[in-house]
Each structure stands twice: as structure tokens, then as C-alpha cells.
Amino acid sequence: VQLQASGGGLVQAGDSQRLSCAASGGTFSSFSMAWFRQAPGKEREFVAGITDSDRNTGYADSVRGRFSISRDDANDMVYLQMNSLNPEDTAVYYCAARKGFLRADANEYSFWGQGTLVTVSS
């Protein structure tokens, strides 16, 4: 499956932003989907994920209550709604897909989008 992330940009602290990830070339509904991010000089980290069939979600502690992941299987899309953004959220955000259970380890994901940069100014 091919993934294309979009929606990044420059925002102010406290603002909201929605990232989108379009999938193609596979049976999207059979994949668990996740968003990861990587800040300069840091390792890639799990942000949020959603399972395939039952749509259970999981979040990193740092974003729980502020970010929300959702998916639209009819249109092969996954979204990350980000609210109350702060400068620590500045990173390149990647969408990723895997068959099976949701995992927080980036090494468990076979398919990756190209990343979209989110910059939050104070």
C-alpha cells in the first residue's frame, strides 16, 4: 500500500491542525494505521493509532486528550486532528500501516508515507 501524508504547515501555539493520509494500492480496511513523528535530533515516536476492524485507538501520553485519530475506509483515508498544539509538537509527521494489531514500535510497520512537517511557533 502507498501512503501520502498532507496537511502540515506553520501554526501558532494553541492552534489546531488536521493531518490527512491517503492510501492506495491495497485493501486499506485490513490495515491498522498509525501516526508517528520525528523531531530534529530525536528518534521517531508513536503518536496515535487505530486498528482495522474494530477501530480501537491508542495514543502517546504526550498527546492524549489533545489529538484524535480517525479513519474513513470508504475513501482510504486516515486523519490526525491535533488541538492545543505547542512547540514540543513540532516534528515531521508520518503515517504508517501494518497488518494486524496496533503497535507503537515503528519497526513493526511495513508501509510509510513521506512525512509532512508541522511547525508550532510560540
Side-chain angles (χ1 to χ4, degrees):
V1 64
Q2 290 80 46
L3 303 174
Q4 179 80 28
S6 61
L10 175 63
V11 297
Q12 299 284 330
D15 284 353
S16 297
Q17 192 166 25
R18 189 177 81 156
L19 304 182
S20 300
C21 177
S24 61
T27 308
F28 177 74
S29 60
S30 68
F31 288 90
S32 288
M33 300 297 298
W35 288 94
F36 288 78
R37 66 186 182 186
Q38 188 165 18
K42 295 187 177 181
E43 293 187 354
R44 192 170 297 190
E45 64 174 357
F46 175 82
V47 175
I50 186 167
T51 59
D52 49 0
S53 57
D54 52 13
R55 304 195 177 195
N56 286 331
T57 57
Y59 296 92
D61 289 344
S62 59
V63 306
R64 187 175 290 112
R66 299 189 297 124
F67 290 12
S68 178
I69 188 171
S70 60
R71 63 188 297 159
D72 177 357
D73 288 352
N75 293 293
D76 294 354
M77 297 289 295
V78 63
Y79 303 100
L80 184 68
Q81 177 65 43
M82 305 184 294
N83 300 325
S84 302
L85 285 162
N86 59 63
E88 290 70 40
D89 297 315
T90 295
V92 177
Y93 284 72
Y94 300 89
C95 58
R98 73 181 305 272
K99 291 279 193 176
F101 297 118
L102 191 61
R103 292 286 186 263
D105 183 349
N107 294 318
E108 299 280 354
Y109 288 78
S110 301
F111 306 98
W112 291 85
Q114 85 289 2
T116 185
L117 176 62
V118 174
T119 304
V120 184
S121 63
S122 57

